[in-house]
Amino acid sequence: AGNSVVVIAAQRDQVELAAEALDAGAHVITLVERPETAEKLFGLGDRDRCVVVGAGLLPGVADVLTALAAQRLDQVSEVHLSRWGWAGARSANESRRARLHEMRSGRELVWFPDPVGGRDCYLAEHAAALTVGRLLPGVQVHVRLGVANKIDWLRRRRPETVGLQVEVRGWREGSFEVEVLGVAERADVACVVVLLSAAELVAGSGSRGAIGLAELAPAEHFVHAWTNAGLTVHEFSPTT
């Protein structure tokens, strides 16, 4: 009750757990992968509490970096979000499940900050397309995931570092421009930093309704807080 904040990381029964927490008077922060789950969580926005839909890397950090990059453009035409790596067995399963086609459709080599580097990622259905789409209505949002290879997936072996790349395309002063931001960090470290920043804001801001992470505060606020906590946001050119 009061300013209590409940974090829901389980991918199963998220909506039911969130509704129970809201009924108990708590705010809710979720880690979500599936678009259908995100839609249902947004449907809980009529409560007198805050529901943050997606406060991990994707969605979450990706939303904030998209908002930051979009501020630098006069008009945004499309957004490309890519993640390589997973936080554990369930995250690896979600990444494999999210692929649109089993024949690896939409494959693209994506360059993440070191030490992740270049990785093949595949077009996927993902909750981040929904949360970022709320920030930029009418803009195409494409999500690609780097999935576990068969051996790593069977062994449930987790990579030490997860990579995130956000590429926002559009126009600035009549010229076509591309803004590229990224993060490379251990998944557990990144999630703790992001969740703590979100929980602090939710408990103290008085926000209500169901919102994405980037709707909670200005992008610069998050980046400053994350940098102070050791989570570095990288900027680089798509040609390098």
Side-chain angles (χ1 to χ4, degrees):
N3 288 330
S4 297
V5 179
V6 173
V7 175
I8 301 176
Q11 291 301 312
R12 293 182 180 179
D13 304 321
Q14 277 198 332
V15 179
E16 292 80 0
L17 292 171
E20 291 177 6
L22 292 168
D23 289 341
H27 302 291
V28 174
I29 299 174
T30 68
L31 299 175
V32 61
E33 297 259 352
R34 298 189 176 188
E36 60 269 25
T37 302
E39 288 182 357
K40 292 177 181 178
L41 288 169
F42 279 121
L44 299 176
D46 58 346
R47 313 295 180 95
D48 188 33
R49 285 293 181 267
C50 182
V51 182
V52 179
V53 183
L57 280 174
L58 182 79
V61 175
D63 303 49
V64 172
L65 298 189
T66 297
L68 184 65
Q71 293 172 9
R72 303 172 180 176
L73 300 172
D74 298 325
Q75 181 180 354
V76 175
S77 60
E78 56 186 297
V79 176
H80 294 260
L81 310 173
S82 303
R83 184 189 70 199
W84 185 87
W86 47 95
R90 178 162 293 177
S91 180
N93 289 338
E94 284 296 314
S95 293
R96 293 181 67 87
R97 185 207 67 83
R99 291 231 313 263
L100 285 177
H101 306 294
E102 289 301 320
M103 298 304 293
R104 295 187 173 185
S105 69
R107 183 174 69 175
E108 183 173 308
L109 178 63
V110 179
W111 288 94
F112 299 94
D114 290 333
V116 178
R119 302 282 181 169
D120 282 336
C121 294
Y122 307 94
L123 196 64
E125 293 178 330
H126 198 275
L130 179 63
T131 59
V132 170
R134 287 169 56 92
L135 299 175
L136 301 168
V139 173
Q140 292 183 349
V141 180
H142 306 277
V143 180
R144 284 181 168 82
L145 301 177
V147 300
N149 62 46
K150 188 173 183 179
I151 294 176
D152 285 348
W153 182 69
L154 290 173
R155 294 178 178 176
R156 302 301 193 264
R157 186 163 57 193
R158 180 177 66 189
E160 290 187 2
T161 303
V162 174
L164 173 71
Q165 191 214 74
V166 172
E167 180 178 314
V168 180
R169 305 175 183 177
W171 285 266
R172 181 170 54 238
E173 297 181 352
S175 176
F176 183 76
E177 301 287 348
V178 180
E179 293 285 338
V180 183
L181 304 173
V183 168
E185 184 55 87
R186 284 176 45 187
D188 52 354
V189 172
C191 283
V192 167
V193 169
V194 176
L195 286 170
L196 286 176
S197 66
E200 182 179 357
L201 282 168
V202 168
S205 69
S207 296
R208 297 292 184 269
I211 57 177
L213 184 65
E215 300 173 72
L216 190 58
E220 293 83 358
H221 174 94
F222 282 111
V223 173
H224 179 73
W226 297 341
T227 300
N228 287 342
L231 180 61
T232 302
V233 174
H234 301 265
E235 299 191 34
F236 54 96
S237 167
T239 60
T240 60

